[in-house]
Amino acid sequence: MAELIIDNVTKRFSDGTEAVRNVSLTIQDGQFFILVGPSGCGKSTLLNMIVGLEEITQGELRVDGQVINTLDPKDRNMAMVFQSYAIYPHMTVRENMAFPLKLAKRPQEEIAQKVNQAATILELTEFLDRKPASLSGGQRQRVAMGRAIVRQPQAFLLDEPLSNLDAKLRVQMRTELSRLQKRLRTTTIYVTHDQSEAMTLGDRVAIFHQGVVQQVGTPRDLYTAP
Ligand code: ADP
Ligand code: ADP
């Protein structure tokens, strides 16, 4: 649970590219926030700065008032889910979901309990001992979500998580994601180039263009003709 404040943040790469320019956004605790814009507009760069994969050039990032842009990625407890599933083919579903907790050296009983809990929420219980290769695309996507939620992160950062799925599955997963987020009430930033996702999923939407926020509002504000 966390409120995330992006305060006047800029990213300038060493070649001079300004991928993100003076962006200020407040993502309230529990909000499902959508960042929508075309390829190359700076969406991934912004997420990378929040998780700590890229340093910010200027500005400040705060979670519940605490400055996080000076922290190591491992001390930020942000969960990123990429479009490529980033789950391990040689591990079972259970092992995949347990992995972040193993890394964090959590006790065995806690790991078992959190994995079972996540599996219940994601309806993956019957697949816990299977390998990813024997699962459908949507099920694998849920395993990736499971890996993200076991750590009970302060925020989820989802970078086009549905873009590798076929159209039918994408619509189905969209509904599932929305339900999951409402259930967990975890602050979420969801990045997409797909306007229909922005319209149907989010509590709030920011329209991003060439590194700049052009408009912020509810899907209703932004996509309903006056
Ligand atoms: P999006 O996620 O919206 O597709 P990106 O954040 O990946 O956009 O990229 C934003 C801009 O920054 C693009 O012009 C891209 O070419 C540029 N960019 C991204 N990473 C780097 C980098 N490491 N060095 C220089 N330019 C970069
Ligand atoms: P996306 O699918 O989010 O648009 P890209 O395919 O543009 O991502 O970029 C993939 C990787 O390459 C990212 O890590 C990004 O930082 C890096 N990158 C993108 N554009 C550039 C660039 N102009 N110079 C250097 N690295 C870049």
Side-chain angles (χ1 to χ4, degrees), residues 111-201:
I111 295 179
Q113 189 242 327
K114 287 195 169 149
V115 168
N116 286 332
Q117 195 182 2
T120 304
I121 293 171
L122 293 161
E123 294 171 24
L124 285 171
T125 305
E126 63 190 292
F127 306 110
L128 278 171
D129 295 309
R130 304 234 312 236
K131 296 265 175 74
S134 72
L135 302 178
S136 71
Q139 288 163 345
R140 276 183 235 162
Q141 186 65 44
R142 276 189 265 152
V143 176
M145 284 302 295
R147 283 193 36 174
I149 71 177
V150 289
R151 283 173 53 222
Q152 294 163 309
Q154 292 188 300
F156 289 137
L157 306 172
L158 307 178
D159 194 355
E160 307 244 6
L162 309 182
S163 61
N164 279 355
L165 306 176
D166 67 48
K168 185 161 157 250
L169 192 54
R170 195 153 59 222
V171 171
Q172 188 190 326
M173 284 303 296
R174 210 186 270 175
T175 314
E176 284 195 29
L177 259 183
S178 163
R179 217 183 44 200
L180 179 65
Q181 199 274 343
K182 284 195 175 69
R183 181 158 174 187
L184 296 171
R185 298 303 302 161
T186 303
T187 308
T188 300
I189 303 184
Y190 183 100
V191 156
T192 184
H193 63 270
D194 184 341
Q195 255 192 31
S196 65
E197 283 181 5
M199 281 190 280
T200 51
L201 271 174

Coordinates of all heavy atoms in Angstrom, one line a residue, residues 111-201:
I111 N 7.2 -18.9 3.0 CA 7.2 -19.1 1.5 C 6.0 -19.9 1.0 O 5.2 -19.6 0.2 CB 8.5 -19.7 1.0 CG1 9.7 -18.7 1.3 CG2 8.4 -20.0 -0.5 CD1 11.0 -19.2 0.9
A112 N 5.8 -21.1 1.7 CA 4.7 -22.0 1.3 C 3.4 -21.3 1.5 O 2.5 -21.4 0.6 CB 4.8 -23.3 2.2
Q113 N 3.2 -20.6 2.6 CA 2.0 -20.0 2.8 C 1.7 -18.9 1.8 O 0.5 -18.8 1.3 CB 2.0 -19.4 4.3 CG 0.7 -18.8 4.8 CD 0.8 -17.3 5.1 OE1 1.8 -16.8 5.5 NE2 -0.3 -16.6 4.8
K114 N 2.7 -18.0 1.5 CA 2.4 -16.9 0.5 C 2.2 -17.5 -0.9 O 1.4 -16.9 -1.6 CB 3.6 -16.0 0.6 CG 3.6 -15.1 1.8 CD 4.5 -13.9 1.8 CE 4.2 -13.0 2.9 NZ 5.4 -12.3 3.3
V115 N 2.9 -18.5 -1.2 CA 2.7 -19.1 -2.6 C 1.3 -19.7 -2.7 O 0.6 -19.5 -3.7 CB 3.8 -20.1 -2.9 CG1 3.5 -21.0 -4.2 CG2 5.2 -19.5 -3.1
N116 N 0.9 -20.4 -1.7 CA -0.4 -21.0 -1.7 C -1.5 -19.9 -1.8 O -2.5 -20.0 -2.5 CB -0.7 -21.9 -0.5 CG 0.1 -23.2 -0.6 OD1 0.4 -23.7 -1.7 ND2 0.5 -23.8 0.5
Q117 N -1.3 -18.9 -1.0 CA -2.3 -17.7 -1.0 C -2.4 -17.1 -2.4 O -3.4 -16.9 -2.9 CB -1.8 -16.7 0.0 CG -2.8 -15.7 0.4 CD -2.2 -14.7 1.4 OE1 -1.0 -14.8 1.8 NE2 -3.0 -13.8 1.9
A118 N -1.2 -16.8 -3.0 CA -1.2 -16.2 -4.3 C -1.8 -17.2 -5.4 O -2.6 -16.7 -6.2 CB 0.3 -15.9 -4.7
A119 N -1.5 -18.5 -5.2 CA -2.1 -19.4 -6.2 C -3.6 -19.5 -6.1 O -4.3 -19.6 -7.1 CB -1.5 -20.8 -5.9
T120 N -4.1 -19.3 -4.8 CA -5.6 -19.3 -4.7 C -6.2 -18.1 -5.4 O -7.1 -18.2 -6.1 CB -6.0 -19.3 -3.2 OG1 -5.3 -20.4 -2.5 CG2 -7.5 -19.3 -3.0
I121 N -5.6 -16.9 -5.1 CA -6.1 -15.7 -5.7 C -6.1 -15.8 -7.2 O -7.0 -15.3 -7.9 CB -5.3 -14.5 -5.2 CG1 -5.5 -14.2 -3.8 CG2 -5.6 -13.2 -6.1 CD1 -4.5 -13.2 -3.2
L122 N -5.0 -16.4 -7.8 CA -4.8 -16.4 -9.2 C -5.4 -17.7 -9.8 O -5.2 -17.9 -11.0 CB -3.3 -16.3 -9.5 CG -2.7 -15.0 -9.2 CD1 -1.2 -15.1 -9.1 CD2 -3.1 -13.9 -10.2
E123 N -6.0 -18.5 -9.0 CA -6.6 -19.8 -9.5 C -5.6 -20.6 -10.2 O -5.8 -21.1 -11.3 CB -7.8 -19.5 -10.4 CG -9.0 -18.9 -9.6 CD -10.1 -18.4 -10.4 OE1 -10.3 -18.9 -11.6 OE2 -10.9 -17.5 -9.9
L124 N -4.4 -20.8 -9.5 CA -3.3 -21.6 -10.1 C -3.0 -22.8 -9.2 O -2.1 -23.5 -9.5 CB -2.1 -20.7 -10.2 CG -2.0 -19.7 -11.3 CD1 -0.8 -18.8 -11.1 CD2 -1.9 -20.3 -12.7
T125 N -3.8 -23.0 -8.2 CA -3.5 -24.1 -7.3 C -3.3 -25.5 -7.9 O -2.3 -26.1 -7.6 CB -4.7 -24.2 -6.2 OG1 -4.8 -22.9 -5.6 CG2 -4.3 -25.2 -5.1
E126 N -4.2 -25.8 -8.9 CA -4.0 -27.1 -9.5 C -2.8 -27.2 -10.5 O -2.5 -28.3 -10.9 CB -5.3 -27.5 -10.3 CG -5.6 -26.5 -11.4 CD -7.0 -26.7 -12.0 OE1 -7.2 -27.8 -12.7 OE2 -7.8 -25.8 -11.9
F127 N -2.2 -26.1 -10.7 CA -1.0 -26.1 -11.7 C 0.3 -26.0 -11.0 O 1.4 -25.9 -11.6 CB -1.1 -25.0 -12.7 CG -2.4 -25.0 -13.4 CD1 -3.4 -24.0 -13.2 CD2 -2.7 -26.0 -14.3 CE1 -4.6 -24.0 -13.9 CE2 -3.9 -26.0 -15.0 CZ -4.9 -25.0 -14.8
L128 N 0.3 -26.0 -9.6 CA 1.5 -25.6 -8.9 C 2.7 -26.5 -9.2 O 3.9 -26.1 -9.1 CB 1.2 -25.6 -7.4 CG 0.6 -24.3 -6.8 CD1 0.2 -24.5 -5.4 CD2 1.6 -23.1 -7.0
D129 N 2.5 -27.8 -9.5 CA 3.6 -28.7 -9.8 C 3.9 -28.9 -11.2 O 4.7 -29.7 -11.6 CB 3.3 -30.0 -9.1 CG 3.3 -29.9 -7.6 OD1 4.2 -29.2 -7.0 OD2 2.3 -30.3 -6.9
R130 N 3.3 -28.0 -12.1 CA 3.5 -28.2 -13.5 C 4.6 -27.2 -13.9 O 4.9 -26.2 -13.3 CB 2.3 -27.9 -14.3 CG 1.1 -28.8 -13.9 CD 0.4 -29.5 -15.0 NE 0.1 -28.8 -16.2 CZ -1.2 -28.7 -16.7 NH1 -2.2 -29.3 -16.0 NH2 -1.4 -28.0 -17.8
K131 N 5.2 -27.5 -15.1 CA 6.2 -26.6 -15.7 C 5.5 -25.6 -16.6 O 4.5 -26.0 -17.2 CB 7.3 -27.4 -16.5 CG 8.1 -28.3 -15.6 CD 9.4 -27.7 -15.2 CE 10.2 -28.6 -14.3 NZ 10.9 -29.7 -15.0
P132 N 6.1 -24.4 -16.8 CA 5.4 -23.4 -17.7 C 5.1 -23.9 -19.1 O 4.0 -23.5 -19.6 CB 6.4 -22.3 -17.7 CG 7.2 -22.4 -16.5 CD 7.3 -23.9 -16.2
A133 N 5.9 -24.8 -19.7 CA 5.7 -25.2 -21.0 C 4.3 -25.9 -21.2 O 3.7 -25.9 -22.3 CB 6.8 -26.2 -21.5
S134 N 3.8 -26.5 -20.1 CA 2.5 -27.2 -20.2 C 1.3 -26.3 -19.9 O 0.2 -26.7 -19.8 CB 2.5 -28.4 -19.3 OG 2.4 -28.0 -18.0
L135 N 1.6 -25.0 -19.8 CA 0.5 -24.0 -19.5 C 0.1 -23.2 -20.7 O 0.9 -23.0 -21.6 CB 0.9 -23.1 -18.3 CG 1.3 -23.7 -17.0 CD1 1.8 -22.6 -16.0 CD2 0.2 -24.5 -16.4
S136 N -1.1 -22.6 -20.7 CA -1.5 -21.7 -21.7 C -0.8 -20.3 -21.5 O -0.3 -20.1 -20.4 CB -3.0 -21.5 -21.7 OG -3.4 -20.8 -20.6
G137 N -0.9 -19.5 -22.5 CA -0.3 -18.1 -22.4 C -0.9 -17.3 -21.2 O -0.2 -16.7 -20.5
G138 N -2.2 -17.5 -21.0 CA -2.9 -16.7 -19.9 C -2.4 -17.3 -18.6 O -2.2 -16.5 -17.6
Q139 N -2.3 -18.6 -18.5 CA -1.9 -19.2 -17.2 C -0.4 -18.7 -16.9 O -0.1 -18.4 -15.8 CB -2.0 -20.7 -17.3 CG -3.4 -21.2 -17.3 CD -3.6 -22.6 -17.8 OE1 -2.7 -23.2 -18.4 NE2 -4.7 -23.2 -17.5
R140 N 0.4 -18.7 -17.9 CA 1.8 -18.2 -17.7 C 1.8 -16.8 -17.2 O 2.6 -16.4 -16.4 CB 2.6 -18.4 -19.0 CG 3.2 -19.7 -19.2 CD 4.0 -19.8 -20.4 NE 3.5 -20.9 -21.2 CZ 3.8 -21.0 -22.5 NH1 4.5 -20.1 -23.1 NH2 3.3 -22.0 -23.2
Q141 N 1.0 -16.0 -17.8 CA 0.9 -14.6 -17.4 C 0.5 -14.5 -15.9 O 1.0 -13.7 -15.2 CB -0.1 -13.9 -18.3 CG -0.2 -12.4 -18.1 CD 1.1 -11.7 -18.5 OE1 1.7 -12.0 -19.5 NE2 1.5 -10.8 -17.6
R142 N -0.4 -15.4 -15.5 CA -0.8 -15.4 -14.1 C 0.3 -15.8 -13.2 O 0.5 -15.4 -12.1 CB -2.0 -16.3 -13.9 CG -3.3 -15.5 -14.2 CD -4.5 -16.3 -13.8 NE -5.0 -17.1 -15.0 CZ -5.7 -18.2 -14.9 NH1 -5.9 -18.8 -13.7 NH2 -6.1 -18.8 -16.0
V143 N 1.2 -16.8 -13.7 CA 2.4 -17.2 -12.9 C 3.3 -15.9 -12.7 O 3.8 -15.7 -11.6 CB 3.1 -18.3 -13.6 CG1 4.4 -18.7 -12.8 CG2 2.2 -19.6 -13.7
A144 N 3.5 -15.2 -13.8 CA 4.3 -14.0 -13.7 C 3.7 -13.0 -12.7 O 4.5 -12.4 -11.9 CB 4.4 -13.3 -15.1
M145 N 2.4 -12.9 -12.7 CA 1.7 -12.0 -11.7 C 1.9 -12.6 -10.3 O 2.2 -11.8 -9.3 CB 0.2 -11.9 -12.0 CG -0.2 -11.0 -13.1 SD 0.4 -9.3 -12.9 CE -0.5 -8.8 -11.5
G146 N 1.9 -13.9 -10.2 CA 2.1 -14.6 -8.9 C 3.5 -14.2 -8.3 O 3.6 -13.9 -7.1
R147 N 4.5 -14.3 -9.2 CA 5.8 -14.0 -8.7 C 5.9 -12.5 -8.2 O 6.7 -12.2 -7.4 CB 6.8 -14.2 -9.9 CG 7.1 -15.6 -10.1 CD 8.3 -15.8 -10.9 NE 9.3 -14.8 -10.7 CZ 10.5 -14.8 -11.3 NH1 10.8 -15.8 -12.1 NH2 11.3 -13.9 -11.1
A148 N 5.1 -11.7 -8.9 CA 5.1 -10.3 -8.5 C 4.4 -10.1 -7.1 O 4.8 -9.3 -6.3 CB 4.5 -9.4 -9.6
I149 N 3.3 -10.8 -6.9 CA 2.5 -10.5 -5.7 C 3.0 -11.1 -4.4 O 2.7 -10.6 -3.4 CB 1.0 -10.7 -5.9 CG1 0.6 -12.2 -6.0 CG2 0.4 -10.0 -7.1 CD1 -0.9 -12.4 -6.1
V150 N 3.7 -12.2 -4.5 CA 4.2 -12.9 -3.3 C 5.0 -12.0 -2.4 O 5.0 -12.1 -1.2 CB 5.0 -14.2 -3.5 CG1 4.1 -15.3 -4.1 CG2 6.2 -14.0 -4.4
R151 N 5.7 -11.0 -3.0 CA 6.5 -10.1 -2.2 C 5.7 -9.0 -1.5 O 6.2 -8.1 -0.9 CB 7.6 -9.5 -3.0 CG 8.8 -10.5 -3.2 CD 9.8 -9.9 -4.2 NE 10.2 -8.6 -3.8 CZ 10.4 -7.6 -4.7 NH1 10.2 -7.8 -6.0 NH2 10.8 -6.4 -4.3
Q152 N 4.4 -9.0 -1.8 CA 3.5 -7.9 -1.3 C 4.2 -6.5 -1.6 O 4.5 -5.8 -0.6 CB 3.2 -8.1 0.1 CG 2.3 -9.3 0.3 CD 2.2 -9.8 1.7 OE1 3.3 -10.0 2.4 NE2 1.0 -10.1 2.2
P153 N 4.4 -6.2 -2.8 CA 5.2 -5.0 -3.2 C 4.4 -3.7 -2.9 O 3.2 -3.8 -2.7 CB 5.4 -5.1 -4.7 CG 4.2 -5.9 -5.1 CD 4.0 -6.9 -4.0
Q154 N 5.1 -2.6 -2.8 CA 4.4 -1.3 -2.6 C 3.7 -0.9 -3.8 O 2.7 -0.2 -3.7 CB 5.4 -0.2 -2.2 CG 6.0 -0.5 -0.8 CD 6.9 0.7 -0.4 OE1 7.9 1.0 -1.1 NE2 6.6 1.3 0.7
A155 N 4.2 -1.3 -5.0 CA 3.5 -1.0 -6.2 C 3.8 -2.1 -7.3 O 4.9 -2.7 -7.3 CB 3.9 0.4 -6.7
F156 N 2.8 -2.3 -8.2 CA 3.1 -3.1 -9.4 C 3.3 -2.1 -10.5 O 2.6 -1.2 -10.7 CB 1.8 -3.8 -9.8 CG 1.4 -4.9 -8.9 CD1 0.1 -5.1 -8.6 CD2 2.3 -5.8 -8.5 CE1 -0.3 -6.1 -7.8 CE2 2.0 -6.9 -7.6 CZ 0.6 -7.0 -7.3
L157 N 4.4 -2.5 -11.3 CA 4.6 -1.7 -12.5 C 4.5 -2.7 -13.7 O 5.3 -3.7 -13.8 CB 6.1 -1.1 -12.5 CG 6.3 -0.3 -11.2 CD1 7.8 0.1 -11.1 CD2 5.4 0.9 -11.2
L158 N 3.5 -2.5 -14.5 CA 3.2 -3.5 -15.6 C 3.5 -2.8 -16.9 O 2.9 -1.8 -17.3 CB 1.7 -3.9 -15.5 CG 1.2 -4.4 -14.2 CD1 -0.3 -4.7 -14.2 CD2 2.0 -5.6 -13.7
D159 N 4.5 -3.4 -17.6 CA 5.0 -2.8 -18.9 C 4.4 -3.6 -20.0 O 4.9 -4.7 -20.4 CB 6.5 -2.8 -19.0 CG 7.0 -1.9 -20.1 OD1 6.2 -1.4 -20.9 OD2 8.2 -1.7 -20.2
E160 N 3.3 -3.2 -20.6 CA 2.6 -3.8 -21.7 C 2.5 -5.3 -21.4 O 2.9 -6.2 -22.2 CB 3.4 -3.6 -23.0 CG 3.7 -2.2 -23.3 CD 3.0 -1.7 -24.6 OE1 2.2 -2.4 -25.2 OE2 3.3 -0.5 -24.9
P161 N 1.9 -5.7 -20.3 CA 2.0 -7.1 -19.9 C 1.1 -8.0 -20.8 O 1.3 -9.2 -20.8 CB 1.4 -7.1 -18.5 CG 0.5 -6.0 -18.4 CD 1.1 -4.9 -19.3
L162 N 0.3 -7.5 -21.6 CA -0.6 -8.3 -22.4 C -0.3 -8.3 -23.9 O -0.9 -9.0 -24.7 CB -2.1 -7.9 -22.2 CG -2.6 -7.7 -20.8 CD1 -4.0 -7.3 -20.8 CD2 -2.4 -9.0 -20.0
S163 N 0.8 -7.6 -24.3 CA 1.0 -7.4 -25.7 C 1.4 -8.6 -26.5 O 1.4 -8.6 -27.7 CB 1.9 -6.2 -25.9 OG 3.2 -6.5 -25.4
N164 N 1.9 -9.6 -25.8 CA 2.3 -10.8 -26.5 C 1.2 -11.8 -26.6 O 1.4 -12.9 -27.2 CB 3.5 -11.5 -25.7 CG 4.8 -10.9 -26.1 OD1 4.9 -10.0 -26.9 ND2 5.8 -11.3 -25.4
L165 N 0.0 -11.5 -26.1 CA -1.1 -12.5 -26.2 C -2.0 -12.2 -27.4 O -2.0 -11.1 -27.9 CB -1.9 -12.3 -24.9 CG -1.2 -12.4 -23.6 CD1 -2.1 -12.2 -22.4 CD2 -0.5 -13.8 -23.4
D166 N -2.7 -13.2 -27.8 CA -3.6 -13.0 -28.9 C -4.8 -12.2 -28.5 O -5.1 -12.1 -27.3 CB -4.0 -14.3 -29.6 CG -4.9 -15.2 -28.7 OD1 -5.9 -14.7 -28.1 OD2 -4.6 -16.4 -28.6
A167 N -5.6 -11.7 -29.4 CA -6.6 -10.7 -29.1 C -7.6 -11.2 -28.1 O -8.0 -10.4 -27.2 CB -7.3 -10.2 -30.4
K168 N -8.1 -12.4 -28.2 CA -9.1 -13.0 -27.4 C -8.6 -13.1 -25.9 O -9.3 -12.7 -25.0 CB -9.5 -14.3 -27.9 CG -10.7 -14.9 -27.2 CD -11.4 -16.0 -28.0 CE -12.1 -17.0 -27.1 NZ -11.5 -18.3 -27.1
L169 N -7.4 -13.6 -25.8 CA -6.8 -13.8 -24.5 C -6.5 -12.5 -23.8 O -6.7 -12.3 -22.6 CB -5.5 -14.6 -24.7 CG -4.9 -15.2 -23.4 CD1 -5.9 -16.0 -22.6 CD2 -3.7 -16.0 -23.7
R170 N -6.2 -11.5 -24.7 CA -5.9 -10.2 -24.1 C -7.1 -9.6 -23.4 O -7.0 -9.0 -22.3 CB -5.4 -9.3 -25.3 CG -4.7 -8.0 -24.8 CD -3.7 -7.5 -25.9 NE -4.4 -7.3 -27.1 CZ -3.9 -7.6 -28.3 NH1 -2.8 -8.2 -28.5 NH2 -4.6 -7.3 -29.4
V171 N -8.2 -9.7 -24.1 CA -9.4 -9.2 -23.5 C -9.8 -9.9 -22.2 O -10.1 -9.3 -21.2 CB -10.6 -9.2 -24.5 CG1 -11.9 -8.9 -23.8 CG2 -10.3 -8.3 -25.7
Q172 N -9.6 -11.2 -22.2 CA -9.9 -12.0 -21.0 C -8.9 -11.7 -19.9 O -9.3 -11.5 -18.7 CB -9.7 -13.5 -21.4 CG -10.1 -14.5 -20.4 CD -9.7 -15.9 -20.9 OE1 -9.6 -16.2 -22.1 NE2 -9.3 -16.7 -19.9
M173 N -7.6 -11.5 -20.2 CA -6.6 -11.2 -19.2 C -6.8 -9.8 -18.6 O -6.5 -9.5 -17.4 CB -5.2 -11.3 -19.7 CG -4.7 -12.7 -19.9 SD -4.7 -13.7 -18.3 CE -3.6 -12.8 -17.3
R174 N -7.3 -8.9 -19.5 CA -7.6 -7.6 -19.1 C -8.6 -7.6 -17.9 O -8.4 -6.9 -16.9 CB -8.2 -6.8 -20.3 CG -8.0 -5.4 -20.4 CD -8.8 -4.8 -21.5 NE -8.0 -4.9 -22.7 CZ -8.5 -4.5 -23.9 NH1 -9.8 -4.2 -24.0 NH2 -7.8 -4.6 -25.0
T175 N -9.7 -8.3 -18.1 CA -10.7 -8.5 -17.1 C -10.1 -9.1 -15.8 O -10.4 -8.6 -14.7 CB -11.8 -9.4 -17.6 OG1 -12.2 -8.9 -18.9 CG2 -13.1 -9.3 -16.7
E176 N -9.3 -10.1 -16.0 CA -8.7 -10.8 -14.8 C -7.8 -9.8 -14.1 O -7.8 -9.8 -12.8 CB -7.9 -12.0 -15.3 CG -8.8 -13.2 -15.6 CD -7.9 -14.4 -15.7 OE1 -6.9 -14.5 -15.0 OE2 -8.3 -15.3 -16.5
L177 N -7.0 -9.1 -14.8 CA -6.1 -8.1 -14.2 C -6.8 -7.1 -13.3 O -6.4 -6.8 -12.2 CB -5.3 -7.4 -15.2 CG -3.9 -7.8 -15.5 CD1 -3.2 -6.9 -16.6 CD2 -3.0 -7.8 -14.2
S178 N -7.8 -6.6 -13.9 CA -8.6 -5.6 -13.3 C -9.3 -6.1 -12.0 O -9.2 -5.4 -11.0 CB -9.7 -5.1 -14.3 OG -10.7 -4.4 -13.6
R179 N -9.8 -7.3 -12.1 CA -10.3 -8.0 -10.9 C -9.3 -8.2 -9.8 O -9.5 -7.9 -8.6 CB -10.9 -9.3 -11.3 CG -12.2 -9.6 -10.6 CD -12.7 -11.0 -11.0 NE -11.7 -12.0 -11.0 CZ -11.7 -13.1 -11.7 NH1 -12.8 -13.5 -12.4 NH2 -10.7 -14.0 -11.6
L180 N -8.1 -8.7 -10.2 CA -7.0 -8.9 -9.3 C -6.6 -7.7 -8.6 O -6.4 -7.6 -7.4 CB -5.9 -9.5 -10.1 CG -4.6 -9.9 -9.3 CD1 -4.9 -11.0 -8.4 CD2 -3.5 -10.3 -10.3
Q181 N -6.5 -6.6 -9.4 CA -6.0 -5.3 -8.8 C -7.0 -4.8 -7.8 O -6.6 -4.3 -6.7 CB -5.7 -4.3 -9.9 CG -4.8 -3.1 -9.5 CD -5.6 -2.0 -8.8 OE1 -6.8 -1.9 -8.9 NE2 -4.9 -1.2 -8.1
K182 N -8.3 -4.9 -8.1 CA -9.3 -4.5 -7.2 C -9.3 -5.3 -5.9 O -9.6 -4.8 -4.8 CB -10.7 -4.5 -7.9 CG -10.9 -3.4 -8.8 CD -12.4 -3.2 -9.2 CE -12.5 -2.0 -10.1 NZ -11.8 -2.2 -11.5
R183 N -9.0 -6.6 -6.1 CA -9.0 -7.4 -4.9 C -7.8 -7.1 -4.0 O -7.9 -7.1 -2.8 CB -8.9 -8.9 -5.4 CG -8.9 -9.9 -4.3 CD -9.4 -11.2 -4.8 NE -9.2 -12.2 -3.7 CZ -9.4 -13.5 -3.9 NH1 -9.8 -13.9 -5.0 NH2 -9.3 -14.3 -2.9
L184 N -6.6 -6.9 -4.6 CA -5.4 -6.7 -3.9 C -5.2 -5.2 -3.4 O -4.6 -5.0 -2.4 CB -4.1 -7.0 -4.7 CG -4.0 -8.5 -5.1 CD1 -2.9 -8.6 -6.1 CD2 -3.7 -9.4 -3.9
R185 N -5.8 -4.3 -4.1 CA -5.7 -2.9 -3.9 C -4.3 -2.4 -3.8 O -3.9 -1.6 -3.0 CB -6.4 -2.5 -2.5 CG -7.9 -2.7 -2.5 CD -8.7 -2.1 -3.6 NE -8.6 -0.6 -3.7 CZ -8.9 0.1 -4.7 NH1 -9.3 -0.5 -5.8 NH2 -8.8 1.4 -4.7
T186 N -3.4 -3.0 -4.7 CA -2.0 -2.6 -4.7 C -1.9 -1.4 -5.7 O -2.5 -1.5 -6.8 CB -1.1 -3.7 -5.1 OG1 -1.3 -4.8 -4.2 CG2 0.3 -3.3 -5.1
T187 N -1.3 -0.4 -5.4 CA -1.0 0.7 -6.3 C -0.3 0.2 -7.6 O 0.6 -0.5 -7.5 CB 0.0 1.7 -5.6 OG1 -0.6 2.1 -4.3 CG2 0.2 3.0 -6.4
T188 N -0.9 0.5 -8.7 CA -0.5 -0.1 -10.0 C -0.3 1.0 -11.0 O -1.1 1.9 -11.2 CB -1.5 -1.1 -10.5 OG1 -1.7 -2.1 -9.5 CG2 -1.1 -1.7 -11.8
I189 N 0.9 0.9 -11.7 CA 1.1 1.7 -12.9 C 1.1 0.7 -14.1 O 1.9 -0.2 -14.1 CB 2.3 2.5 -13.0 CG1 2.4 3.5 -11.8 CG2 2.4 3.3 -14.3 CD1 3.6 4.4 -11.8
Y190 N 0.2 0.9 -15.1 CA 0.1 0.0 -16.2 C 0.4 0.8 -17.4 O -0.2 1.8 -17.7 CB -1.3 -0.5 -16.2 CG -1.7 -1.5 -17.2 CD1 -1.7 -2.8 -16.9 CD2 -2.0 -1.1 -18.5 CE1 -2.1 -3.8 -17.9 CE2 -2.3 -2.1 -19.5 CZ -2.4 -3.4 -19.1 OH -2.7 -4.3 -20.1
V191 N 1.4 0.3 -18.2 CA 1.9 1.0 -19.3 C 1.4 0.4 -20.6 O 1.4 -0.9 -20.7 CB 3.4 1.0 -19.4 CG1 4.0 1.2 -20.8 CG2 4.0 2.1 -18.4
T192 N 0.8 1.1 -21.5 CA 0.3 0.5 -22.7 C 0.3 1.6 -23.9 O 0.3 2.8 -23.6 CB -1.1 0.0 -22.5 OG1 -1.6 -0.7 -23.7 CG2 -2.1 1.1 -22.1
H193 N 0.3 1.0 -25.1 CA 0.1 1.9 -26.3 C -1.4 1.8 -26.7 O -1.8 2.4 -27.7 CB 1.0 1.6 -27.4 CG 0.9 0.2 -27.9 ND1 1.5 -0.8 -27.4 CD2 0.0 -0.2 -28.9 CE1 1.2 -1.9 -28.1 NE2 0.2 -1.6 -29.0
D194 N -2.1 0.9 -26.0 CA -3.5 0.5 -26.5 C -4.6 1.4 -25.8 O -4.8 1.2 -24.6 CB -3.7 -0.9 -26.2 CG -5.0 -1.5 -26.7 OD1 -5.9 -0.7 -27.0 OD2 -5.1 -2.7 -26.8
Q195 N -5.2 2.2 -26.5 CA -6.2 3.1 -25.9 C -7.4 2.4 -25.3 O -7.9 2.8 -24.3 CB -6.7 4.1 -27.0 CG -6.2 5.5 -26.8 CD -6.9 6.5 -27.7 OE1 -8.1 6.4 -28.0 NE2 -6.2 7.5 -28.1
S196 N -7.7 1.3 -25.9 CA -8.9 0.5 -25.4 C -8.6 0.0 -24.0 O -9.5 -0.1 -23.2 CB -9.4 -0.5 -26.4 OG -8.4 -1.5 -26.5
E197 N -7.3 -0.4 -23.8 CA -6.9 -0.8 -22.4 C -7.0 0.3 -21.5 O -7.5 0.2 -20.3 CB -5.5 -1.4 -22.4 CG -5.5 -2.8 -23.0 CD -4.1 -3.5 -23.0 OE1 -3.1 -2.9 -22.5 OE2 -4.0 -4.6 -23.5
A198 N -6.6 1.5 -21.9 CA -6.6 2.7 -21.0 C -8.0 3.0 -20.6 O -8.3 3.3 -19.5 CB -5.9 3.8 -21.7
M199 N -8.9 2.9 -21.6 CA -10.3 3.2 -21.4 C -11.0 2.3 -20.4 O -11.9 2.7 -19.7 CB -11.1 3.2 -22.7 CG -10.9 4.5 -23.5 SD -12.0 4.6 -24.9 CE -11.2 3.5 -26.0
T200 N -10.7 1.0 -20.5 CA -11.4 0.0 -19.7 C -10.8 -0.4 -18.4 O -11.5 -0.8 -17.5 CB -11.6 -1.3 -20.6 OG1 -10.3 -1.7 -21.0 CG2 -12.5 -1.1 -21.7
L201 N -9.5 -0.2 -18.2 CA -8.8 -0.7 -17.0 C -8.7 0.3 -15.9 O -8.8 -0.1 -14.8 CB -7.4 -1.2 -17.4 CG -7.3 -2.7 -17.9 CD1 -5.9 -2.9 -18.3 CD2 -7.7 -3.6 -16.8

